[in-house]
């Protein structure tokens, strides 16, 4: 018998922990099914539609954070270049483009193999790191799509760090 064939009985559905954390923090949410929960998180630059899905076959809790971004056809290639630059900077998770729905999406998963249960802290960090990533790069997408800036220049603009105060 291989290690992959060993079945571990899970004590609870990991989405239950997401619901508990959301309720504890007074976040509004919608439980759309046993294995899914969705919420809207207000950021500085946009509101992010965040969903968590329990993927039993992979034993992974998947997070997707999306924001609307209508991409004109003539800016599509530059947005794809930008995705490549951004994903080279992001340590955990990645950005993707769902063209048929015109959304940029940040995706990340928490592996819970062997019956591991997520903790409150893991859920909070998973959500906050996703929102932080969206906030960090939202303006780069805006620069490329609406200002006509090339991907490299957009990255340089959002990664520019100021020192001191004016």
């Amino acid at each position: 018998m291989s290690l992959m064939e060993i079945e571990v009985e899970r004590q609870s559905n990991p989405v239950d922990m997401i619901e508990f954390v959301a309720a504890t923090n007074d976040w509004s949410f919608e439980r759309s099914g046993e294995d899914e929960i969705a919420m809207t998180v207000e950021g500085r630059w946009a509101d992010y539609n965040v969903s968590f899905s329990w993927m039993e076959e992979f034993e992974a809790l998947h997070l997707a954070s999306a924001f609307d971004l209508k991409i004109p056809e003539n800016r599509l290639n530059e947005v794809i270049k930008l995705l490549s630059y951004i994903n080279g900077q992001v340590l955990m998770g990645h950005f993707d483009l769902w063209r048929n729905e015109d959304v940029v999406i940040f995706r990340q998963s928490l592996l819970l193999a062997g019956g591991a249960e997520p903790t409150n802290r893991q859920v909070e960090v998973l959500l906050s790191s996703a929102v932080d990533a969206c906030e960090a790069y939202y303006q780069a997408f805006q620069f490329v799509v609406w200002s006509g800036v090339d991907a490299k220049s957009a990255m340089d603009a959002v990664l520019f760090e100021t020192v001191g105060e004016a």
Side-chain angles (χ1 to χ4, degrees), residues 67-71 75 78-84 86-87 95-97 104-105 133-134 136-149 154-155 158:
F67 51 89
D68 290 330
L69 185 69
K70 306 295 183 227
I71 302 168
R75 301 303 298 157
E78 207 59 38
V79 168
I80 292 170
K81 286 181 191 175
L82 180 61
L83 286 169
S84 178
I86 291 172
N87 286 333
F95 282 90
D96 202 353
L97 173 63
V104 171
I105 189 164
C134 290
Y137 297 105
Y138 180 83
Q139 286 188 303
F141 286 105
Q142 293 295 316
F143 291 153
V144 168
V145 172
W146 301 117
S147 299
V149 173
M155 281 296 290
V158 300

PDB file of all heavy atoms in Angstrom, residues 67-71 75 78-84 86-87 95-97 104-105 133-134 136-149 154-155 158:
ATOM      1  N   PHE A  67     -10.844  40.718  -8.825  1.00  0.00           N
ATOM      2  CA  PHE A  67     -11.330  42.075  -9.007  1.00  0.00           C
ATOM      3  C   PHE A  67     -11.611  42.296 -10.481  1.00  0.00           C
ATOM      4  O   PHE A  67     -10.937  41.768 -11.348  1.00  0.00           O
ATOM      5  CB  PHE A  67     -10.386  43.142  -8.439  1.00  0.00           C
ATOM      6  CG  PHE A  67      -8.943  43.054  -8.873  1.00  0.00           C
ATOM      7  CD1 PHE A  67      -8.494  43.698 -10.010  1.00  0.00           C
ATOM      8  CD2 PHE A  67      -8.032  42.339  -8.109  1.00  0.00           C
ATOM      9  CE1 PHE A  67      -7.160  43.636 -10.386  1.00  0.00           C
ATOM     10  CE2 PHE A  67      -6.697  42.270  -8.477  1.00  0.00           C
ATOM     11  CZ  PHE A  67      -6.261  42.923  -9.618  1.00  0.00           C
ATOM     12  N   ASP A  68     -12.683  43.047 -10.740  1.00  0.00           N
ATOM     13  CA  ASP A  68     -13.086  43.326 -12.114  1.00  0.00           C
ATOM     14  C   ASP A  68     -12.056  44.207 -12.795  1.00  0.00           C
ATOM     15  O   ASP A  68     -11.572  45.173 -12.204  1.00  0.00           O
ATOM     16  CB  ASP A  68     -14.442  44.032 -12.167  1.00  0.00           C
ATOM     17  CG  ASP A  68     -15.583  43.120 -11.763  1.00  0.00           C
ATOM     18  OD1 ASP A  68     -15.470  41.908 -11.996  1.00  0.00           O
ATOM     19  OD2 ASP A  68     -16.574  43.623 -11.215  1.00  0.00           O
ATOM     20  N   LEU A  69     -11.738  43.861 -14.010  1.00  0.00           N
ATOM     21  CA  LEU A  69     -10.811  44.660 -14.793  1.00  0.00           C
ATOM     22  C   LEU A  69     -11.118  44.418 -16.267  1.00  0.00           C
ATOM     23  O   LEU A  69     -10.746  43.384 -16.813  1.00  0.00           O
ATOM     24  CB  LEU A  69      -9.361  44.262 -14.478  1.00  0.00           C
ATOM     25  CG  LEU A  69      -8.288  45.113 -15.136  1.00  0.00           C
ATOM     26  CD1 LEU A  69      -8.284  46.511 -14.524  1.00  0.00           C
ATOM     27  CD2 LEU A  69      -6.922  44.479 -14.931  1.00  0.00           C
ATOM     28  N   LYS A  70     -11.852  45.314 -16.856  1.00  0.00           N
ATOM     29  CA  LYS A  70     -12.191  45.194 -18.276  1.00  0.00           C
ATOM     30  C   LYS A  70     -10.943  45.498 -19.083  1.00  0.00           C
ATOM     31  O   LYS A  70     -10.444  46.615 -19.069  1.00  0.00           O
ATOM     32  CB  LYS A  70     -13.318  46.147 -18.656  1.00  0.00           C
ATOM     33  CG  LYS A  70     -14.545  46.021 -17.796  1.00  0.00           C
ATOM     34  CD  LYS A  70     -15.218  44.685 -17.942  1.00  0.00           C
ATOM     35  CE  LYS A  70     -16.478  44.617 -17.113  1.00  0.00           C
ATOM     36  NZ  LYS A  70     -16.607  43.433 -16.327  1.00  0.00           N
ATOM     37  N   ILE A  71     -10.435  44.495 -19.774  1.00  0.00           N
ATOM     38  CA  ILE A  71      -9.187  44.650 -20.508  1.00  0.00           C
ATOM     39  C   ILE A  71      -9.479  44.803 -22.002  1.00  0.00           C
ATOM     40  O   ILE A  71      -9.971  43.873 -22.635  1.00  0.00           O
ATOM     41  CB  ILE A  71      -8.261  43.434 -20.280  1.00  0.00           C
ATOM     42  CG1 ILE A  71      -7.996  43.291 -18.784  1.00  0.00           C
ATOM     43  CG2 ILE A  71      -6.964  43.581 -21.061  1.00  0.00           C
ATOM     44  CD1 ILE A  71      -7.339  41.992 -18.406  1.00  0.00           C
ATOM     45  N   ARG A  75      -4.717  45.869 -25.109  1.00  0.00           N
ATOM     46  CA  ARG A  75      -3.857  45.873 -23.921  1.00  0.00           C
ATOM     47  C   ARG A  75      -3.629  44.469 -23.346  1.00  0.00           C
ATOM     48  O   ARG A  75      -2.903  44.294 -22.381  1.00  0.00           O
ATOM     49  CB  ARG A  75      -4.449  46.763 -22.822  1.00  0.00           C
ATOM     50  CG  ARG A  75      -4.650  48.211 -23.211  1.00  0.00           C
ATOM     51  CD  ARG A  75      -3.386  48.911 -23.679  1.00  0.00           C
ATOM     52  NE  ARG A  75      -2.391  48.951 -22.613  1.00  0.00           N
ATOM     53  CZ  ARG A  75      -1.092  49.089 -22.828  1.00  0.00           C
ATOM     54  NH1 ARG A  75      -0.607  49.193 -24.045  1.00  0.00           N
ATOM     55  NH2 ARG A  75      -0.245  49.125 -21.815  1.00  0.00           N
ATOM     56  N   GLU A  78       0.030  43.161 -23.048  1.00  0.00           N
ATOM     57  CA  GLU A  78       0.788  43.858 -21.999  1.00  0.00           C
ATOM     58  C   GLU A  78       0.347  43.383 -20.609  1.00  0.00           C
ATOM     59  O   GLU A  78       1.169  43.270 -19.701  1.00  0.00           O
ATOM     60  CB  GLU A  78       0.629  45.369 -22.142  1.00  0.00           C
ATOM     61  CG  GLU A  78       1.774  46.173 -21.610  1.00  0.00           C
ATOM     62  CD  GLU A  78       3.123  45.860 -22.261  1.00  0.00           C
ATOM     63  OE1 GLU A  78       3.197  45.624 -23.487  1.00  0.00           O
ATOM     64  OE2 GLU A  78       4.124  45.866 -21.525  1.00  0.00           O
ATOM     65  N   VAL A  79      -0.937  43.082 -20.440  1.00  0.00           N
ATOM     66  CA  VAL A  79      -1.425  42.547 -19.167  1.00  0.00           C
ATOM     67  C   VAL A  79      -0.817  41.173 -18.915  1.00  0.00           C
ATOM     68  O   VAL A  79      -0.412  40.852 -17.787  1.00  0.00           O
ATOM     69  CB  VAL A  79      -2.969  42.493 -19.133  1.00  0.00           C
ATOM     70  CG1 VAL A  79      -3.466  41.664 -17.952  1.00  0.00           C
ATOM     71  CG2 VAL A  79      -3.554  43.895 -19.079  1.00  0.00           C
ATOM     72  N   ILE A  80      -0.696  40.363 -19.944  1.00  0.00           N
ATOM     73  CA  ILE A  80      -0.079  39.041 -19.804  1.00  0.00           C
ATOM     74  C   ILE A  80       1.391  39.183 -19.399  1.00  0.00           C
ATOM     75  O   ILE A  80       1.880  38.446 -18.537  1.00  0.00           O
ATOM     76  CB  ILE A  80      -0.261  38.218 -21.086  1.00  0.00           C
ATOM     77  CG1 ILE A  80      -1.747  37.865 -21.247  1.00  0.00           C
ATOM     78  CG2 ILE A  80       0.604  36.962 -21.074  1.00  0.00           C
ATOM     79  CD1 ILE A  80      -2.127  37.272 -22.577  1.00  0.00           C
ATOM     80  N   LYS A  81       2.092  40.155 -19.973  1.00  0.00           N
ATOM     81  CA  LYS A  81       3.480  40.420 -19.559  1.00  0.00           C
ATOM     82  C   LYS A  81       3.516  40.844 -18.091  1.00  0.00           C
ATOM     83  O   LYS A  81       4.377  40.405 -17.330  1.00  0.00           O
ATOM     84  CB  LYS A  81       4.100  41.529 -20.411  1.00  0.00           C
ATOM     85  CG  LYS A  81       4.472  41.131 -21.806  1.00  0.00           C
ATOM     86  CD  LYS A  81       5.085  42.328 -22.524  1.00  0.00           C
ATOM     87  CE  LYS A  81       5.225  42.080 -24.000  1.00  0.00           C
ATOM     88  NZ  LYS A  81       5.715  43.279 -24.705  1.00  0.00           N
ATOM     89  N   LEU A  82       2.571  41.694 -17.707  1.00  0.00           N
ATOM     90  CA  LEU A  82       2.509  42.152 -16.322  1.00  0.00           C
ATOM     91  C   LEU A  82       2.287  40.979 -15.370  1.00  0.00           C
ATOM     92  O   LEU A  82       2.928  40.897 -14.321  1.00  0.00           O
ATOM     93  CB  LEU A  82       1.406  43.200 -16.154  1.00  0.00           C
ATOM     94  CG  LEU A  82       1.228  43.768 -14.746  1.00  0.00           C
ATOM     95  CD1 LEU A  82       2.491  44.473 -14.274  1.00  0.00           C
ATOM     96  CD2 LEU A  82       0.030  44.716 -14.718  1.00  0.00           C
ATOM     97  N   LEU A  83       1.393  40.070 -15.729  1.00  0.00           N
ATOM     98  CA  LEU A  83       1.164  38.875 -14.905  1.00  0.00           C
ATOM     99  C   LEU A  83       2.464  38.107 -14.689  1.00  0.00           C
ATOM    100  O   LEU A  83       2.750  37.647 -13.580  1.00  0.00           O
ATOM    101  CB  LEU A  83       0.125  37.958 -15.557  1.00  0.00           C
ATOM    102  CG  LEU A  83      -1.323  38.417 -15.487  1.00  0.00           C
ATOM    103  CD1 LEU A  83      -2.192  37.564 -16.395  1.00  0.00           C
ATOM    104  CD2 LEU A  83      -1.840  38.381 -14.064  1.00  0.00           C
ATOM    105  N   SER A  84       3.248  37.997 -15.737  1.00  0.00           N
ATOM    106  CA  SER A  84       4.526  37.292 -15.634  1.00  0.00           C
ATOM    107  C   SER A  84       5.473  37.999 -14.669  1.00  0.00           C
ATOM    108  O   SER A  84       6.102  37.353 -13.819  1.00  0.00           O
ATOM    109  CB  SER A  84       5.157  37.175 -17.020  1.00  0.00           C
ATOM    110  OG  SER A  84       6.403  36.549 -16.938  1.00  0.00           O
ATOM    111  N   ILE A  86       4.666  40.098 -12.225  1.00  0.00           N
ATOM    112  CA  ILE A  86       4.117  40.033 -10.865  1.00  0.00           C
ATOM    113  C   ILE A  86       4.339  38.654 -10.269  1.00  0.00           C
ATOM    114  O   ILE A  86       4.797  38.529  -9.133  1.00  0.00           O
ATOM    115  CB  ILE A  86       2.617  40.396 -10.861  1.00  0.00           C
ATOM    116  CG1 ILE A  86       2.434  41.881 -11.172  1.00  0.00           C
ATOM    117  CG2 ILE A  86       1.983  40.042  -9.521  1.00  0.00           C
ATOM    118  CD1 ILE A  86       0.991  42.300 -11.382  1.00  0.00           C
ATOM    119  N   ASN A  87       4.019  37.612 -11.014  1.00  0.00           N
ATOM    120  CA  ASN A  87       4.156  36.257 -10.481  1.00  0.00           C
ATOM    121  C   ASN A  87       5.606  35.911 -10.160  1.00  0.00           C
ATOM    122  O   ASN A  87       5.861  35.071  -9.305  1.00  0.00           O
ATOM    123  CB  ASN A  87       3.533  35.229 -11.425  1.00  0.00           C
ATOM    124  CG  ASN A  87       2.021  35.284 -11.372  1.00  0.00           C
ATOM    125  OD1 ASN A  87       1.430  35.669 -10.371  1.00  0.00           O
ATOM    126  ND2 ASN A  87       1.386  34.901 -12.470  1.00  0.00           N
ATOM    127  N   PHE A  95      -1.140  35.233  -9.621  1.00  0.00           N
ATOM    128  CA  PHE A  95      -2.214  35.934 -10.318  1.00  0.00           C
ATOM    129  C   PHE A  95      -2.491  35.230 -11.633  1.00  0.00           C
ATOM    130  O   PHE A  95      -1.602  34.656 -12.252  1.00  0.00           O
ATOM    131  CB  PHE A  95      -1.817  37.391 -10.603  1.00  0.00           C
ATOM    132  CG  PHE A  95      -1.944  38.289  -9.408  1.00  0.00           C
ATOM    133  CD1 PHE A  95      -0.877  38.462  -8.536  1.00  0.00           C
ATOM    134  CD2 PHE A  95      -3.127  38.956  -9.144  1.00  0.00           C
ATOM    135  CE1 PHE A  95      -0.977  39.289  -7.433  1.00  0.00           C
ATOM    136  CE2 PHE A  95      -3.240  39.787  -8.035  1.00  0.00           C
ATOM    137  CZ  PHE A  95      -2.167  39.950  -7.177  1.00  0.00           C
ATOM    138  N   ASP A  96      -3.734  35.310 -12.048  1.00  0.00           N
ATOM    139  CA  ASP A  96      -4.169  34.690 -13.292  1.00  0.00           C
ATOM    140  C   ASP A  96      -5.208  35.613 -13.931  1.00  0.00           C
ATOM    141  O   ASP A  96      -5.761  36.493 -13.271  1.00  0.00           O
ATOM    142  CB  ASP A  96      -4.793  33.327 -12.981  1.00  0.00           C
ATOM    143  CG  ASP A  96      -4.795  32.376 -14.163  1.00  0.00           C
ATOM    144  OD1 ASP A  96      -4.431  32.789 -15.282  1.00  0.00           O
ATOM    145  OD2 ASP A  96      -5.162  31.210 -13.962  1.00  0.00           O
ATOM    146  N   LEU A  97      -5.461  35.402 -15.181  1.00  0.00           N
ATOM    147  CA  LEU A  97      -6.467  36.184 -15.901  1.00  0.00           C
ATOM    148  C   LEU A  97      -7.546  35.238 -16.402  1.00  0.00           C
ATOM    149  O   LEU A  97      -7.249  34.289 -17.118  1.00  0.00           O
ATOM    150  CB  LEU A  97      -5.819  36.915 -17.089  1.00  0.00           C
ATOM    151  CG  LEU A  97      -6.748  37.652 -18.036  1.00  0.00           C
ATOM    152  CD1 LEU A  97      -7.469  38.777 -17.315  1.00  0.00           C
ATOM    153  CD2 LEU A  97      -5.974  38.200 -19.218  1.00  0.00           C
ATOM    154  N   VAL A 104      -9.208  39.628 -13.035  1.00  0.00           N
ATOM    155  CA  VAL A 104      -7.880  39.227 -12.605  1.00  0.00           C
ATOM    156  C   VAL A 104      -8.106  38.541 -11.269  1.00  0.00           C
ATOM    157  O   VAL A 104      -8.886  39.029 -10.438  1.00  0.00           O
ATOM    158  CB  VAL A 104      -6.943  40.446 -12.458  1.00  0.00           C
ATOM    159  CG1 VAL A 104      -5.642  40.038 -11.796  1.00  0.00           C
ATOM    160  CG2 VAL A 104      -6.680  41.066 -13.820  1.00  0.00           C
ATOM    161  N   ILE A 105      -7.448  37.435 -11.085  1.00  0.00           N
ATOM    162  CA  ILE A 105      -7.691  36.644  -9.895  1.00  0.00           C
ATOM    163  C   ILE A 105      -6.371  36.258  -9.238  1.00  0.00           C
ATOM    164  O   ILE A 105      -5.406  35.951  -9.939  1.00  0.00           O
ATOM    165  CB  ILE A 105      -8.544  35.406 -10.246  1.00  0.00           C
ATOM    166  CG1 ILE A 105      -9.000  34.675  -9.001  1.00  0.00           C
ATOM    167  CG2 ILE A 105      -7.816  34.479 -11.177  1.00  0.00           C
ATOM    168  CD1 ILE A 105     -10.131  33.700  -9.264  1.00  0.00           C
ATOM    169  N   ALA A 133      -1.552  41.064  -1.530  1.00  0.00           N
ATOM    170  CA  ALA A 133      -1.025  40.896  -2.891  1.00  0.00           C
ATOM    171  C   ALA A 133      -1.874  41.674  -3.893  1.00  0.00           C
ATOM    172  O   ALA A 133      -1.343  42.353  -4.779  1.00  0.00           O
ATOM    173  CB  ALA A 133      -0.968  39.413  -3.262  1.00  0.00           C
ATOM    174  N   CYS A 134      -3.185  41.592  -3.755  1.00  0.00           N
ATOM    175  CA  CYS A 134      -4.074  42.336  -4.666  1.00  0.00           C
ATOM    176  C   CYS A 134      -3.860  43.837  -4.526  1.00  0.00           C
ATOM    177  O   CYS A 134      -3.787  44.555  -5.528  1.00  0.00           O
ATOM    178  CB  CYS A 134      -5.531  41.975  -4.386  1.00  0.00           C
ATOM    179  SG  CYS A 134      -5.998  40.311  -4.869  1.00  0.00           S
ATOM    180  N   ALA A 136      -1.168  45.344  -3.469  1.00  0.00           N
ATOM    181  CA  ALA A 136       0.185  45.719  -3.908  1.00  0.00           C
ATOM    182  C   ALA A 136       0.267  45.907  -5.419  1.00  0.00           C
ATOM    183  O   ALA A 136       1.024  46.752  -5.899  1.00  0.00           O
ATOM    184  CB  ALA A 136       1.194  44.669  -3.458  1.00  0.00           C
ATOM    185  N   TYR A 137      -0.513  45.132  -6.173  1.00  0.00           N
ATOM    186  CA  TYR A 137      -0.370  45.153  -7.626  1.00  0.00           C
ATOM    187  C   TYR A 137      -1.579  45.701  -8.378  1.00  0.00           C
ATOM    188  O   TYR A 137      -1.538  45.831  -9.600  1.00  0.00           O
ATOM    189  CB  TYR A 137      -0.028  43.748  -8.136  1.00  0.00           C
ATOM    190  CG  TYR A 137       1.294  43.268  -7.591  1.00  0.00           C
ATOM    191  CD1 TYR A 137       1.362  42.315  -6.584  1.00  0.00           C
ATOM    192  CD2 TYR A 137       2.484  43.814  -8.063  1.00  0.00           C
ATOM    193  CE1 TYR A 137       2.582  41.909  -6.060  1.00  0.00           C
ATOM    194  CE2 TYR A 137       3.705  43.415  -7.551  1.00  0.00           C
ATOM    195  CZ  TYR A 137       3.744  42.463  -6.556  1.00  0.00           C
ATOM    196  OH  TYR A 137       4.954  42.072  -6.050  1.00  0.00           O
ATOM    197  N   TYR A 138      -2.637  46.056  -7.680  1.00  0.00           N
ATOM    198  CA  TYR A 138      -3.838  46.573  -8.335  1.00  0.00           C
ATOM    199  C   TYR A 138      -3.527  47.766  -9.234  1.00  0.00           C
ATOM    200  O   TYR A 138      -3.966  47.841 -10.377  1.00  0.00           O
ATOM    201  CB  TYR A 138      -4.887  46.955  -7.285  1.00  0.00           C
ATOM    202  CG  TYR A 138      -6.161  47.489  -7.884  1.00  0.00           C
ATOM    203  CD1 TYR A 138      -7.139  46.625  -8.344  1.00  0.00           C
ATOM    204  CD2 TYR A 138      -6.389  48.862  -8.001  1.00  0.00           C
ATOM    205  CE1 TYR A 138      -8.314  47.101  -8.903  1.00  0.00           C
ATOM    206  CE2 TYR A 138      -7.559  49.354  -8.557  1.00  0.00           C
ATOM    207  CZ  TYR A 138      -8.511  48.468  -9.006  1.00  0.00           C
ATOM    208  OH  TYR A 138      -9.659  48.944  -9.575  1.00  0.00           O
ATOM    209  N   GLN A 139      -2.745  48.699  -8.703  1.00  0.00           N
ATOM    210  CA  GLN A 139      -2.444  49.897  -9.495  1.00  0.00           C
ATOM    211  C   GLN A 139      -1.623  49.577 -10.736  1.00  0.00           C
ATOM    212  O   GLN A 139      -1.769  50.243 -11.755  1.00  0.00           O
ATOM    213  CB  GLN A 139      -1.719  50.924  -8.636  1.00  0.00           C
ATOM    214  CG  GLN A 139      -2.634  51.604  -7.655  1.00  0.00           C
ATOM    215  CD  GLN A 139      -1.935  52.732  -6.959  1.00  0.00           C
ATOM    216  OE1 GLN A 139      -0.901  52.541  -6.336  1.00  0.00           O
ATOM    217  NE2 GLN A 139      -2.498  53.920  -7.076  1.00  0.00           N
ATOM    218  N   ALA A 140      -0.771  48.555 -10.670  1.00  0.00           N
ATOM    219  CA  ALA A 140       0.004  48.174 -11.857  1.00  0.00           C
ATOM    220  C   ALA A 140      -0.942  47.751 -12.975  1.00  0.00           C
ATOM    221  O   ALA A 140      -0.743  48.121 -14.143  1.00  0.00           O
ATOM    222  CB  ALA A 140       0.987  47.052 -11.523  1.00  0.00           C
ATOM    223  N   PHE A 141      -1.968  46.993 -12.627  1.00  0.00           N
ATOM    224  CA  PHE A 141      -2.957  46.596 -13.640  1.00  0.00           C
ATOM    225  C   PHE A 141      -3.669  47.822 -14.195  1.00  0.00           C
ATOM    226  O   PHE A 141      -3.890  47.930 -15.400  1.00  0.00           O
ATOM    227  CB  PHE A 141      -3.973  45.611 -13.050  1.00  0.00           C
ATOM    228  CG  PHE A 141      -3.426  44.231 -12.845  1.00  0.00           C
ATOM    229  CD1 PHE A 141      -3.105  43.786 -11.575  1.00  0.00           C
ATOM    230  CD2 PHE A 141      -3.213  43.378 -13.918  1.00  0.00           C
ATOM    231  CE1 PHE A 141      -2.590  42.514 -11.371  1.00  0.00           C
ATOM    232  CE2 PHE A 141      -2.694  42.105 -13.731  1.00  0.00           C
ATOM    233  CZ  PHE A 141      -2.386  41.668 -12.451  1.00  0.00           C
ATOM    234  N   GLN A 142      -4.015  48.766 -13.324  1.00  0.00           N
ATOM    235  CA  GLN A 142      -4.673  49.994 -13.769  1.00  0.00           C
ATOM    236  C   GLN A 142      -3.773  50.800 -14.703  1.00  0.00           C
ATOM    237  O   GLN A 142      -4.233  51.308 -15.725  1.00  0.00           O
ATOM    238  CB  GLN A 142      -5.081  50.847 -12.555  1.00  0.00           C
ATOM    239  CG  GLN A 142      -6.167  50.232 -11.714  1.00  0.00           C
ATOM    240  CD  GLN A 142      -7.480  50.114 -12.455  1.00  0.00           C
ATOM    241  OE1 GLN A 142      -7.914  51.029 -13.141  1.00  0.00           O
ATOM    242  NE2 GLN A 142      -8.115  48.961 -12.332  1.00  0.00           N
ATOM    243  N   PHE A 143      -2.488  50.902 -14.346  1.00  0.00           N
ATOM    244  CA  PHE A 143      -1.547  51.634 -15.201  1.00  0.00           C
ATOM    245  C   PHE A 143      -1.469  51.030 -16.594  1.00  0.00           C
ATOM    246  O   PHE A 143      -1.468  51.739 -17.597  1.00  0.00           O
ATOM    247  CB  PHE A 143      -0.142  51.653 -14.584  1.00  0.00           C
ATOM    248  CG  PHE A 143       0.005  52.476 -13.343  1.00  0.00           C
ATOM    249  CD1 PHE A 143       0.982  52.169 -12.411  1.00  0.00           C
ATOM    250  CD2 PHE A 143      -0.817  53.561 -13.084  1.00  0.00           C
ATOM    251  CE1 PHE A 143       1.139  52.919 -11.262  1.00  0.00           C
ATOM    252  CE2 PHE A 143      -0.675  54.326 -11.932  1.00  0.00           C
ATOM    253  CZ  PHE A 143       0.308  54.003 -11.013  1.00  0.00           C
ATOM    254  N   VAL A 144      -1.388  49.717 -16.670  1.00  0.00           N
ATOM    255  CA  VAL A 144      -1.260  49.034 -17.957  1.00  0.00           C
ATOM    256  C   VAL A 144      -2.543  49.150 -18.771  1.00  0.00           C
ATOM    257  O   VAL A 144      -2.515  49.479 -19.954  1.00  0.00           O
ATOM    258  CB  VAL A 144      -0.871  47.548 -17.765  1.00  0.00           C
ATOM    259  CG1 VAL A 144      -1.023  46.760 -19.059  1.00  0.00           C
ATOM    260  CG2 VAL A 144       0.562  47.444 -17.244  1.00  0.00           C
ATOM    261  N   VAL A 145      -3.679  48.908 -18.126  1.00  0.00           N
ATOM    262  CA  VAL A 145      -4.949  48.879 -18.860  1.00  0.00           C
ATOM    263  C   VAL A 145      -5.429  50.272 -19.228  1.00  0.00           C
ATOM    264  O   VAL A 145      -5.809  50.521 -20.373  1.00  0.00           O
ATOM    265  CB  VAL A 145      -6.026  48.119 -18.047  1.00  0.00           C
ATOM    266  CG1 VAL A 145      -7.393  48.248 -18.694  1.00  0.00           C
ATOM    267  CG2 VAL A 145      -5.644  46.650 -17.920  1.00  0.00           C
ATOM    268  N   TRP A 146      -5.424  51.200 -18.281  1.00  0.00           N
ATOM    269  CA  TRP A 146      -6.056  52.492 -18.528  1.00  0.00           C
ATOM    270  C   TRP A 146      -5.094  53.628 -18.855  1.00  0.00           C
ATOM    271  O   TRP A 146      -5.495  54.615 -19.460  1.00  0.00           O
ATOM    272  CB  TRP A 146      -6.928  52.878 -17.338  1.00  0.00           C
ATOM    273  CG  TRP A 146      -7.977  51.849 -17.115  1.00  0.00           C
ATOM    274  CD1 TRP A 146      -8.124  51.065 -16.004  1.00  0.00           C
ATOM    275  CD2 TRP A 146      -9.003  51.430 -18.018  1.00  0.00           C
ATOM    276  NE1 TRP A 146      -9.168  50.194 -16.171  1.00  0.00           N
ATOM    277  CE2 TRP A 146      -9.732  50.398 -17.417  1.00  0.00           C
ATOM    278  CE3 TRP A 146      -9.368  51.824 -19.306  1.00  0.00           C
ATOM    279  CZ2 TRP A 146     -10.797  49.760 -18.025  1.00  0.00           C
ATOM    280  CZ3 TRP A 146     -10.437  51.186 -19.924  1.00  0.00           C
ATOM    281  CH2 TRP A 146     -11.137  50.177 -19.283  1.00  0.00           C
ATOM    282  N   SER A 147      -3.835  53.505 -18.459  1.00  0.00           N
ATOM    283  CA  SER A 147      -2.883  54.583 -18.751  1.00  0.00           C
ATOM    284  C   SER A 147      -1.975  54.264 -19.921  1.00  0.00           C
ATOM    285  O   SER A 147      -1.164  55.097 -20.313  1.00  0.00           O
ATOM    286  CB  SER A 147      -2.024  54.877 -17.505  1.00  0.00           C
ATOM    287  OG  SER A 147      -2.850  55.295 -16.448  1.00  0.00           O
ATOM    288  N   GLY A 148      -2.067  53.041 -20.433  1.00  0.00           N
ATOM    289  CA  GLY A 148      -1.247  52.667 -21.576  1.00  0.00           C
ATOM    290  C   GLY A 148       0.217  52.461 -21.243  1.00  0.00           C
ATOM    291  O   GLY A 148       1.070  52.438 -22.131  1.00  0.00           O
ATOM    292  N   VAL A 149       0.537  52.306 -19.975  1.00  0.00           N
ATOM    293  CA  VAL A 149       1.920  52.115 -19.536  1.00  0.00           C
ATOM    294  C   VAL A 149       2.350  50.683 -19.851  1.00  0.00           C
ATOM    295  O   VAL A 149       1.545  49.763 -19.782  1.00  0.00           O
ATOM    296  CB  VAL A 149       2.029  52.402 -18.013  1.00  0.00           C
ATOM    297  CG1 VAL A 149       3.386  52.067 -17.461  1.00  0.00           C
ATOM    298  CG2 VAL A 149       1.651  53.847 -17.729  1.00  0.00           C
ATOM    299  N   ALA A 154       5.035  49.823 -15.246  1.00  0.00           N
ATOM    300  CA  ALA A 154       3.982  49.701 -14.234  1.00  0.00           C
ATOM    301  C   ALA A 154       4.520  49.007 -12.990  1.00  0.00           C
ATOM    302  O   ALA A 154       4.242  49.427 -11.865  1.00  0.00           O
ATOM    303  CB  ALA A 154       2.784  48.944 -14.790  1.00  0.00           C
ATOM    304  N   MET A 155       5.328  47.970 -13.186  1.00  0.00           N
ATOM    305  CA  MET A 155       5.934  47.273 -12.052  1.00  0.00           C
ATOM    306  C   MET A 155       6.886  48.192 -11.298  1.00  0.00           C
ATOM    307  O   MET A 155       6.872  48.232 -10.077  1.00  0.00           O
ATOM    308  CB  MET A 155       6.691  46.023 -12.522  1.00  0.00           C
ATOM    309  CG  MET A 155       5.813  44.840 -12.800  1.00  0.00           C
ATOM    310  SD  MET A 155       4.963  44.225 -11.334  1.00  0.00           S
ATOM    311  CE  MET A 155       6.336  43.523 -10.421  1.00  0.00           C
ATOM    312  N   VAL A 158       4.892  50.589  -9.048  1.00  0.00           N
ATOM    313  CA  VAL A 158       4.268  50.078  -7.832  1.00  0.00           C
ATOM    314  C   VAL A 158       5.287  49.517  -6.841  1.00  0.00           C
ATOM    315  O   VAL A 158       4.997  49.411  -5.655  1.00  0.00           O
ATOM    316  CB  VAL A 158       3.164  49.030  -8.099  1.00  0.00           C
ATOM    317  CG1 VAL A 158       2.047  49.627  -8.938  1.00  0.00           C
ATOM    318  CG2 VAL A 158       3.711  47.765  -8.716  1.00  0.00           C
TER     319      VAL A 158
END
